[in-house]
Amino acid sequence: MRRKVIAGNWKMNMLPNEAIAFIESLTPLVKDTENEVILCVPYTDLFYSLLTAQGTNIKIGAQNMHFEESGAYTGEVSGKMLKCIGVEYVIIGHSERRQYFAETDETVNKKIKTALANELKPIVCVGETLEQRESGKTEEIITTQTRLALDGLSSEQLSNVIIAYEPIWAIGTGKTATSEDANNSIKAIRNEVAKLYGDEVASEMIIQYGGSVKSSNAKELFTTSDIDGGLVGGASLKADEFAKIVNYNK
Ligand code: PGA
């Protein structure tokens, strides 16, 4: 049985004092869940968040990293830097990074490899635009993104990779994919993983849904056959609301 993984993506929000207060309020609300709880926070909140989350079941992730190990890359942060302070997860290839920061399938693939080499678990985002969806290309786009992202990885490495299916038209718009649509897209991604790595690896792969997940739709989404939890943006900025999503099965 695959576990459910609920990850918050704070994006460019929350100051350190707000991060500390958030984690202190969230801790008692999620302490009894069997679901995995992750908060992907801005770089400047990482250290405070790690300290505040110590001894709890809340894991901390970053939202991006560079694919090189070190060097003359002003303003960038390496996987090793994240790992050495205790970060466990890192979002790779979020659509906002692909759209605004020239992230490509190639850089996504390189970043995943460097993350894994540094024992960080990547949460890899794939998803179609509205235009691609309307022209019937959803499956082709998301399976291609998946194949290119995973290029060159071994099946052992795959157990440390999470995929987040995030239709771009559903991010931050209040429009959620129907649970049936989201489940079908995730099945298509799982089939692609099965083609590349076999059924067993595919059946164990954690594949989340992201795009306007909130407490009112979490249960419907997360109780489908293939959706293994969510990557939650806007609704992860309020501890009560995020806790309700984590506790969707209580
Ligand atoms: P949203 O963002 O929940 O605000 O739609 C999801 C994401 O971008 O990861």
Side-chain angles (χ1 to χ4, degrees), residues 49-149:
S49 302
L50 284 158
L51 287 180
T52 315
Q54 240 171 30
T56 76
N57 57 341
I58 301 167
K59 295 173 178 167
I60 302 298
Q63 300 172 8
N64 180 37
M65 56 170 268
H66 198 271
F67 53 77
E68 292 292 350
E69 292 287 354
S70 63
Y73 300 99
T74 302
E76 290 294 323
V77 170
S78 74
K80 195 182 208 161
M81 290 168 178
L82 297 176
K83 182 66 190 177
C84 88
I85 60 166
V87 171
E88 273 184 67
Y89 287 90
V90 59
I91 298 175
I92 303 280
H94 189 280
S95 61
E96 286 150 18
R97 301 233 33 109
R98 294 182 193 246
Q99 193 181 346
Y100 308 133
F101 303 98
E103 196 90 73
T104 63
D105 288 323
E106 195 188 341
T107 59
V108 167
N109 176 252
K110 286 185 185 171
K111 287 182 179 196
I112 296 170
K113 286 179 176 156
T114 313
L116 291 168
N118 285 287
E119 293 174 5
L120 292 163
K121 296 176 189 158
I123 301 176
V124 183
C125 302
V126 299
E128 81 286 0
T129 63
L130 186 58
E131 199 190 339
Q132 290 163 339
R133 183 177 193 83
E134 284 173 348
S135 53
K137 295 210 179 99
T138 299
E139 194 168 321
E140 180 193 327
I141 296 290
I142 61 180
T143 53
T144 304
Q145 285 178 339
T146 302
R147 195 172 60 247
L148 296 175

Side-chain angles (χ1 to χ4, degrees), residues 9 11 94 96 166 170-173 210-213 231-235:
N9 172 13
K11 308 193 180 185
H94 189 280
E96 286 150 18
E166 299 206 304
I171 295 178
T173 57
S212 300
V213 173
L231 183 57
V232 186

Side-chain angles (χ1 to χ4, degrees), residues 152-192:
L153 300 188
S154 67
S155 8
E156 293 71 48
Q157 284 180 306
L158 239 61
S159 60
N160 288 318
V161 176
I162 292 176
I163 295 180
Y165 165 61
E166 299 206 304
I168 295 168
W169 50 271
I171 295 178
T173 57
K175 285 186 208 148
T176 320
T178 64
S179 55
E180 198 189 338
D181 268 358
N183 196 44
N184 284 339
S185 294
I186 287 177
K187 274 189 191 159
I189 294 169
R190 204 178 293 289
N191 279 340
E192 187 64 22

